[in-house]
Amino acid sequence: SAVISQKPSRDICQRGTSLTIQCQVDSQVTMMFWYRQQPGQSLTLIATANQGSEATYESGFVIDKFPISRPNLTFSTLTVSNMSPEDSSIYLCSVSSGTGLTGELFFGEGSRLTVL
Amino acid sequence: GENVEQHPSTLSVQEGDSAVIKCTYSDSASNYFPWYKQELGKRPQLIIDIRSNVGEKKDQRIAVTLNKTAKHFSLHITETQPEDSAVYFCAVRTSGAGSYQLTFGKGTKLSVIP
């Protein structure tokens, strides 16, 4: 399985600020995803990070709030913009091995954000 | 879109007993069904998965069964140990144009009592 590194691992942020989370994979992967896990909750897909094109966002998530970059096949960033306490969550980068339909999904360690 | 229901939300068992967690899904085109284990403060880790052309898969103390007709699948853990205590998530992938993402259940908190 791929080794996925995320940073920061945790941060405390002030309301109204923005924070960028980085995700680095040790091998080239086709599919990269960003998930959110609110405290005590399940995992919700934010968007699929597409290399060389705009990310594909799920219902309820918009580019202005969660801009995503994917400059190459091993790296992606997620920015949480204009944060409010409701954005306090764990944000997880994930990658799919193999092709999208048959590959297994692996997660990074997550970035735990607390917004005051 | 896909709807995944997971039960129970919490489960306590005595060490050595078996634990069963069940998930149902709505889209009959779904074709991949993984289970993840998430220990406190850690990332979800894939523990077992099953594809739609298989009815059962086993890996040591863990097994998953799939009933495509009824659209449900289950995780079975036998001879439970305290280190099995964690939150378990089922997930479903539905094939379709550009549809590679997983939809997760709400999770089951398993507590194994020594």
Side-chain angles (χ1 to χ4, degrees), chain A residues 31 37 42 102-103 105 107, chain B residues 36 38 43 51 93 100 105:
Chain A
M31 311 296 291
Q37 188 175 29
S42 187
T102 61
L105 192 69
F107 288 90
Chain B
Y36 287 83
Q38 187 175 32
R43 64 182 170 178
R51 301 181 192 279
R93 174 184 289 147
Y100 303 117

Side-chain angles (χ1 to χ4, degrees), chain B residues 5 8-9 23 35 37-38 49 57 61 65 67 90 93 95 101 105 109-110 112:
Chain B
E5 298 283 340
S9 57
C23 285
W35 285 90
K37 175 184 181 182
Q38 187 175 32
D49 58 11
K57 184 177 178 180
R61 296 186 297 108
T65 59
N67 184 327
C90 66
R93 174 184 289 147
S95 62
Q101 65 266 29
K109 183 176 181 180
L110 174 64
V112 180

Side-chain angles (χ1 to χ4, degrees), chain A:
Chain A
S1 61
V3 175
I4 308 167
S5 303
Q6 266 186 254
K7 58 180 180 182
S9 58
R10 59 178 63 232
D11 207 340
I12 298 173
C13 309
Q14 295 299 318
R15 183 195 299 258
T17 63
S18 299
L19 182 79
T20 295
I21 303 166
Q22 298 181 5
C23 178
Q24 179 74 53
V25 189
D26 69 341
S27 59
Q28 293 187 341
V29 293
T30 305
M31 311 296 291
M32 290 183 77
F33 307 92
W34 287 97
Y35 281 83
R36 181 175 74 182
Q37 188 175 29
Q38 294 177 302
Q41 302 296 312
S42 187
L43 298 101
T44 301
L45 180 65
I46 297 172
T48 302
N50 302 309
Q51 194 266 330
S53 65
E54 199 169 277
T56 304
Y57 289 84
E58 297 301 305
S59 176
F61 298 96
V62 295
I63 188 172
D64 289 346
K65 177 68 176 177
F66 298 101
I68 288 171
S69 79
R70 177 92 190 270
N72 55 51
L73 292 176
T74 64
F75 185 78
S76 179
T77 68
L78 169 75
T79 299
V80 186
S81 302
N82 188 26
M83 287 185 283
S84 66
E86 292 72 36
D87 294 320
S88 297
S89 289
I90 301 172
Y91 292 86
L92 294 141
C93 171
S94 65
V95 303
S96 181
S97 65
T99 64
L101 282 174
T102 61
E104 300 168 355
L105 192 69
F106 299 98
F107 288 90
E109 293 290 347
S111 299
R112 182 184 295 270
L113 302 189
T114 302
V115 185
L116 303 178

Side-chain angles (χ1 to χ4, degrees), chain B residues 60-76:
Chain B
Q60 299 183 338
R61 296 186 297 108
I62 295 172
V64 56
T65 59
L66 171 65
N67 184 327
K68 284 216 73 180
T69 302
K71 290 188 281 188
H72 67 72
F73 57 111
S74 300
L75 176 71
H76 304 254

